[in-house]
Amino acid sequence: METVVSNDQLITKIERALDTMRPYLAADGGNVKVLEVTDDKIVRLELIGSCGSCPMSAMTFKGGLEEAILKAVPEITKVEAINITPAF
């Protein structure tokens, strides 16, 4: 039998995972905001502050934020950022 987890519970777990990364983002003047968790368990994030316009945002997202969420919240199927800045 599969355990039902509410969106509020998922968001709490996601926020805890992001809290492990926030000091690094804040050191460069940035942060991250959870916009939504879809019914398909896809998390949509927005990079804010300097992270929203940083050319390294794709690396920060992929190697930091996405990895932290997927590791801490196995129910999540995918993590997307709505405003990643292209490196070039």
Side-chain angles (χ1 to χ4, degrees):
M1 185 170 170
E2 186 176 317
T3 303
V4 176
V5 179
S6 74
N7 258 14
D8 288 342
Q9 291 170 313
L10 284 177
I11 290 172
T12 298
K13 292 167 96 177
I14 292 163
E15 289 288 353
R16 283 190 197 135
L18 292 174
D19 284 346
T20 67
M21 300 301 299
R22 283 192 167 107
Y24 304 106
L25 302 175
D28 290 326
N31 205 341
V32 62
K33 177 175 157 183
V34 177
L35 296 177
E36 73 173 321
V37 178
T38 69
D39 292 338
D40 296 332
K41 304 296 186 253
I42 297 171
V43 177
R44 292 207 174 88
L45 303 175
E46 179 181 12
L47 300 173
I48 54 178
S50 63
C51 290
S53 59
C54 176
M56 299 301 286
S57 63
M59 291 178 66
T60 300
F61 169 74
K62 201 75 173 151
L65 304 173
E66 179 183 50
E67 185 176 317
I69 291 171
L70 292 176
K71 184 176 181 181
V73 193
E75 299 92 338
I76 297 302
T77 59
K78 186 176 180 182
V79 182
E80 299 174 346
I82 63 155
N83 63 331
I84 294 223
T85 301
F88 298 101

